[in-house]
Amino acid sequence: YKYRLNFNTATISGTNPEDVVIDLIYGIPASDKFSPYGGGFKFPALYKNKLMWCNRNDTNEGNRIDYSADNAPDVYNGENSSMNGFQSIYVGGVGQVTAATQLYNRFGSNIFSIFVICKDNEVWLMTGDSPLDYKLYPISFRIGCPAPYTLVTAEVGFNVGEDVERNIAMWISHQGPVMFDGAVIHPLQGLEDYFDPSNDNFVNFDYIKEAQSWFDSTYQEWNILLPTGTSTSPNTWLVYSVRLRKWFSRDVGDSQAIQCGITALDSNGRQRIAGGSDDGRVYLLEEGTSYNGDPITYTVT
């Protein structure tokens, strides 16, 4: 028999659903090393029409970025690529690159697509279309991204000044949540207690790399999952409303807590958010007025 998982209704079709038993799941083994040509890199990113490979860990070159030829993610030779390391990009000192993303914005009459590169305590910006004009600019040597899975972009026209709206990148730094529009890093106020060492809900920085986030473009909300207190995995779910510029929390109970959020599109092109728990369950989020069958309890202030 063949079965199909319907993402919209989370039911199994093909025969009587009550009789279906899934006894085998195929997948691709996870790995912490990626290789365009024999080297191990921590993670990939996209910049314009190139595939960027960041943080080469097998040679202890954590600040190294290699890249493919234009529109050819499987080609790493030729003058328009990193040429097997001959034209690699080295970002600042030896500190490891932790996260990177592309960000588009308009400044005055100019349109820019920039590459935002983060380390634990640094932020860099790269511009250019090819190795001939790539340029690196240091943005901060104090604020970085120690939580790589929290870096997201939001194409929502965030108001950064009078009559100035821009797309933004957001992530969790050691100082708290921040927003970057391609020009200046702005702190997002409201979570100071979580980053105050004297508070019981202080973020467990020994496990900050486990933090997760995603941006829900339907409701224009940035969701973050943080390990707080003595927890070694995300146990606090906080949400920032870009429309209201305010934070609120979500408490679904320890037994139904999620550890990550995944953005996907259904067959109609509608964005859906799926949350994954540490016991292997997947929750379809922002759907109806219940959570896992229980009515949602809310408090309005």
Side-chain angles (χ1 to χ4, degrees), residues 149-167:
Y149 301 124
T150 64
L151 175 61
V152 298
T153 57
E155 291 80 21
V156 294
F158 190 84
N159 190 287
V160 297
E162 186 175 353
D163 297 326
V164 178
E165 292 185 341
R166 294 201 178 117
N167 297 326

PDB file of all heavy atoms in Angstrom, residues 149-167:
ATOM      1  N   TYR A 149      20.834  29.451  15.040  1.00  0.00           N
ATOM      2  CA  TYR A 149      19.525  29.064  14.516  1.00  0.00           C
ATOM      3  C   TYR A 149      18.456  30.126  14.756  1.00  0.00           C
ATOM      4  O   TYR A 149      17.280  29.901  14.443  1.00  0.00           O
ATOM      5  CB  TYR A 149      19.082  27.739  15.123  1.00  0.00           C
ATOM      6  CG  TYR A 149      20.034  26.602  14.847  1.00  0.00           C
ATOM      7  CD1 TYR A 149      20.589  25.866  15.890  1.00  0.00           C
ATOM      8  CD2 TYR A 149      20.396  26.270  13.543  1.00  0.00           C
ATOM      9  CE1 TYR A 149      21.478  24.828  15.646  1.00  0.00           C
ATOM     10  CE2 TYR A 149      21.278  25.235  13.292  1.00  0.00           C
ATOM     11  CZ  TYR A 149      21.818  24.517  14.340  1.00  0.00           C
ATOM     12  OH  TYR A 149      22.693  23.499  14.093  1.00  0.00           O
ATOM     13  N   THR A 150      18.858  31.269  15.317  1.00  0.00           N
ATOM     14  CA  THR A 150      17.878  32.335  15.540  1.00  0.00           C
ATOM     15  C   THR A 150      17.933  33.413  14.467  1.00  0.00           C
ATOM     16  O   THR A 150      17.083  34.308  14.465  1.00  0.00           O
ATOM     17  CB  THR A 150      18.092  32.995  16.919  1.00  0.00           C
ATOM     18  OG1 THR A 150      19.373  33.643  16.951  1.00  0.00           O
ATOM     19  CG2 THR A 150      18.008  31.965  18.030  1.00  0.00           C
ATOM     20  N   LEU A 151      18.904  33.372  13.575  1.00  0.00           N
ATOM     21  CA  LEU A 151      19.015  34.407  12.539  1.00  0.00           C
ATOM     22  C   LEU A 151      17.925  34.227  11.489  1.00  0.00           C
ATOM     23  O   LEU A 151      17.838  33.189  10.832  1.00  0.00           O
ATOM     24  CB  LEU A 151      20.387  34.354  11.881  1.00  0.00           C
ATOM     25  CG  LEU A 151      20.625  35.297  10.703  1.00  0.00           C
ATOM     26  CD1 LEU A 151      20.481  36.754  11.128  1.00  0.00           C
ATOM     27  CD2 LEU A 151      21.992  35.054  10.071  1.00  0.00           C
ATOM     28  N   VAL A 152      17.074  35.244  11.331  1.00  0.00           N
ATOM     29  CA  VAL A 152      16.009  35.214  10.334  1.00  0.00           C
ATOM     30  C   VAL A 152      15.927  36.580   9.658  1.00  0.00           C
ATOM     31  O   VAL A 152      16.438  37.577  10.172  1.00  0.00           O
ATOM     32  CB  VAL A 152      14.633  34.873  10.956  1.00  0.00           C
ATOM     33  CG1 VAL A 152      14.638  33.496  11.583  1.00  0.00           C
ATOM     34  CG2 VAL A 152      14.235  35.924  11.985  1.00  0.00           C
ATOM     35  N   THR A 153      15.274  36.623   8.510  1.00  0.00           N
ATOM     36  CA  THR A 153      15.008  37.894   7.843  1.00  0.00           C
ATOM     37  C   THR A 153      13.502  38.098   7.764  1.00  0.00           C
ATOM     38  O   THR A 153      12.722  37.138   7.734  1.00  0.00           O
ATOM     39  CB  THR A 153      15.598  37.930   6.426  1.00  0.00           C
ATOM     40  OG1 THR A 153      15.069  36.840   5.653  1.00  0.00           O
ATOM     41  CG2 THR A 153      17.119  37.832   6.477  1.00  0.00           C
ATOM     42  N   ALA A 154      13.108  39.367   7.742  1.00  0.00           N
ATOM     43  CA  ALA A 154      11.693  39.717   7.659  1.00  0.00           C
ATOM     44  C   ALA A 154      11.526  40.805   6.605  1.00  0.00           C
ATOM     45  O   ALA A 154      12.028  41.911   6.766  1.00  0.00           O
ATOM     46  CB  ALA A 154      11.176  40.202   9.011  1.00  0.00           C
ATOM     47  N   GLU A 155      10.851  40.470   5.524  1.00  0.00           N
ATOM     48  CA  GLU A 155      10.607  41.429   4.448  1.00  0.00           C
ATOM     49  C   GLU A 155       9.233  42.052   4.682  1.00  0.00           C
ATOM     50  O   GLU A 155       8.248  41.697   4.038  1.00  0.00           O
ATOM     51  CB  GLU A 155      10.674  40.749   3.083  1.00  0.00           C
ATOM     52  CG  GLU A 155      12.058  40.279   2.684  1.00  0.00           C
ATOM     53  CD  GLU A 155      12.462  38.966   3.329  1.00  0.00           C
ATOM     54  OE1 GLU A 155      11.571  38.216   3.769  1.00  0.00           O
ATOM     55  OE2 GLU A 155      13.670  38.690   3.402  1.00  0.00           O
ATOM     56  N   VAL A 156       9.186  42.978   5.649  1.00  0.00           N
ATOM     57  CA  VAL A 156       7.896  43.521   6.068  1.00  0.00           C
ATOM     58  C   VAL A 156       7.853  45.042   6.064  1.00  0.00           C
ATOM     59  O   VAL A 156       6.841  45.632   6.421  1.00  0.00           O
ATOM     60  CB  VAL A 156       7.541  43.026   7.489  1.00  0.00           C
ATOM     61  CG1 VAL A 156       7.325  41.534   7.490  1.00  0.00           C
ATOM     62  CG2 VAL A 156       8.612  43.417   8.493  1.00  0.00           C
ATOM     63  N   GLY A 157       8.927  45.724   5.698  1.00  0.00           N
ATOM     64  CA  GLY A 157       8.925  47.175   5.753  1.00  0.00           C
ATOM     65  C   GLY A 157       8.924  47.686   7.173  1.00  0.00           C
ATOM     66  O   GLY A 157       8.020  48.417   7.586  1.00  0.00           O
ATOM     67  N   PHE A 158       9.915  47.283   7.979  1.00  0.00           N
ATOM     68  CA  PHE A 158      10.010  47.691   9.377  1.00  0.00           C
ATOM     69  C   PHE A 158      10.400  49.163   9.448  1.00  0.00           C
ATOM     70  O   PHE A 158      11.358  49.592   8.810  1.00  0.00           O
ATOM     71  CB  PHE A 158      11.042  46.835  10.101  1.00  0.00           C
ATOM     72  CG  PHE A 158      11.052  47.008  11.588  1.00  0.00           C
ATOM     73  CD1 PHE A 158      10.175  46.301  12.393  1.00  0.00           C
ATOM     74  CD2 PHE A 158      11.933  47.883  12.193  1.00  0.00           C
ATOM     75  CE1 PHE A 158      10.188  46.444  13.769  1.00  0.00           C
ATOM     76  CE2 PHE A 158      11.963  48.042  13.562  1.00  0.00           C
ATOM     77  CZ  PHE A 158      11.083  47.314  14.354  1.00  0.00           C
ATOM     78  N   ASN A 159       9.675  49.938  10.241  1.00  0.00           N
ATOM     79  CA  ASN A 159       9.931  51.374  10.349  1.00  0.00           C
ATOM     80  C   ASN A 159      11.124  51.619  11.260  1.00  0.00           C
ATOM     81  O   ASN A 159      11.059  51.382  12.463  1.00  0.00           O
ATOM     82  CB  ASN A 159       8.693  52.090  10.902  1.00  0.00           C
ATOM     83  CG  ASN A 159       8.830  53.604  10.793  1.00  0.00           C
ATOM     84  OD1 ASN A 159       9.590  54.210  11.542  1.00  0.00           O
ATOM     85  ND2 ASN A 159       8.096  54.195   9.865  1.00  0.00           N
ATOM     86  N   VAL A 160      12.239  52.096  10.680  1.00  0.00           N
ATOM     87  CA  VAL A 160      13.462  52.351  11.449  1.00  0.00           C
ATOM     88  C   VAL A 160      13.683  53.837  11.680  1.00  0.00           C
ATOM     89  O   VAL A 160      14.668  54.228  12.302  1.00  0.00           O
ATOM     90  CB  VAL A 160      14.692  51.747  10.730  1.00  0.00           C
ATOM     91  CG1 VAL A 160      14.563  50.239  10.630  1.00  0.00           C
ATOM     92  CG2 VAL A 160      14.869  52.355   9.335  1.00  0.00           C
ATOM     93  N   GLY A 161      12.811  54.660  11.181  1.00  0.00           N
ATOM     94  CA  GLY A 161      12.922  56.107  11.355  1.00  0.00           C
ATOM     95  C   GLY A 161      11.748  56.787  10.694  1.00  0.00           C
ATOM     96  O   GLY A 161      10.869  56.138  10.115  1.00  0.00           O
ATOM     97  N   GLU A 162      11.717  58.087  10.766  1.00  0.00           N
ATOM     98  CA  GLU A 162      10.608  58.834  10.189  1.00  0.00           C
ATOM     99  C   GLU A 162      10.561  58.621   8.681  1.00  0.00           C
ATOM    100  O   GLU A 162      11.495  58.955   7.955  1.00  0.00           O
ATOM    101  CB  GLU A 162      10.759  60.324  10.510  1.00  0.00           C
ATOM    102  CG  GLU A 162       9.568  61.150  10.077  1.00  0.00           C
ATOM    103  CD  GLU A 162       9.693  62.599  10.510  1.00  0.00           C
ATOM    104  OE1 GLU A 162      10.639  62.927  11.254  1.00  0.00           O
ATOM    105  OE2 GLU A 162       8.850  63.399  10.086  1.00  0.00           O
ATOM    106  N   ASP A 163       9.456  58.018   8.223  1.00  0.00           N
ATOM    107  CA  ASP A 163       9.232  57.760   6.791  1.00  0.00           C
ATOM    108  C   ASP A 163      10.316  56.879   6.194  1.00  0.00           C
ATOM    109  O   ASP A 163      10.588  56.956   4.981  1.00  0.00           O
ATOM    110  CB  ASP A 163       9.151  59.079   6.011  1.00  0.00           C
ATOM    111  CG  ASP A 163       7.982  59.946   6.450  1.00  0.00           C
ATOM    112  OD1 ASP A 163       6.939  59.372   6.814  1.00  0.00           O
ATOM    113  OD2 ASP A 163       8.130  61.186   6.461  1.00  0.00           O
ATOM    114  N   VAL A 164      10.950  56.026   7.007  1.00  0.00           N
ATOM    115  CA  VAL A 164      11.982  55.109   6.517  1.00  0.00           C
ATOM    116  C   VAL A 164      11.590  53.691   6.912  1.00  0.00           C
ATOM    117  O   VAL A 164      11.506  53.368   8.097  1.00  0.00           O
ATOM    118  CB  VAL A 164      13.377  55.449   7.085  1.00  0.00           C
ATOM    119  CG1 VAL A 164      14.402  54.429   6.576  1.00  0.00           C
ATOM    120  CG2 VAL A 164      13.780  56.863   6.686  1.00  0.00           C
ATOM    121  N   GLU A 165      11.326  52.853   5.910  1.00  0.00           N
ATOM    122  CA  GLU A 165      10.986  51.459   6.159  1.00  0.00           C
ATOM    123  C   GLU A 165      11.962  50.559   5.423  1.00  0.00           C
ATOM    124  O   GLU A 165      12.324  50.824   4.271  1.00  0.00           O
ATOM    125  CB  GLU A 165       9.556  51.161   5.708  1.00  0.00           C
ATOM    126  CG  GLU A 165       8.486  51.856   6.536  1.00  0.00           C
ATOM    127  CD  GLU A 165       7.094  51.441   6.150  1.00  0.00           C
ATOM    128  OE1 GLU A 165       6.939  50.899   5.029  1.00  0.00           O
ATOM    129  OE2 GLU A 165       6.158  51.630   6.938  1.00  0.00           O
ATOM    130  N   ARG A 166      12.397  49.504   6.111  1.00  0.00           N
ATOM    131  CA  ARG A 166      13.381  48.610   5.514  1.00  0.00           C
ATOM    132  C   ARG A 166      13.097  47.164   5.898  1.00  0.00           C
ATOM    133  O   ARG A 166      12.458  46.891   6.910  1.00  0.00           O
ATOM    134  CB  ARG A 166      14.797  48.989   5.963  1.00  0.00           C
ATOM    135  CG  ARG A 166      15.250  50.354   5.462  1.00  0.00           C
ATOM    136  CD  ARG A 166      16.751  50.474   5.486  1.00  0.00           C
ATOM    137  NE  ARG A 166      17.161  51.767   4.963  1.00  0.00           N
ATOM    138  CZ  ARG A 166      17.795  52.692   5.657  1.00  0.00           C
ATOM    139  NH1 ARG A 166      18.118  52.470   6.914  1.00  0.00           N
ATOM    140  NH2 ARG A 166      18.150  53.837   5.103  1.00  0.00           N
ATOM    141  N   ASN A 167      13.618  46.243   5.075  1.00  0.00           N
ATOM    142  CA  ASN A 167      13.656  44.847   5.462  1.00  0.00           C
ATOM    143  C   ASN A 167      14.697  44.685   6.561  1.00  0.00           C
ATOM    144  O   ASN A 167      15.652  45.462   6.650  1.00  0.00           O
ATOM    145  CB  ASN A 167      14.015  43.969   4.263  1.00  0.00           C
ATOM    146  CG  ASN A 167      12.984  44.053   3.163  1.00  0.00           C
ATOM    147  OD1 ASN A 167      11.798  44.207   3.428  1.00  0.00           O
ATOM    148  ND2 ASN A 167      13.432  43.955   1.914  1.00  0.00           N
TER     149      ASN A 167
END
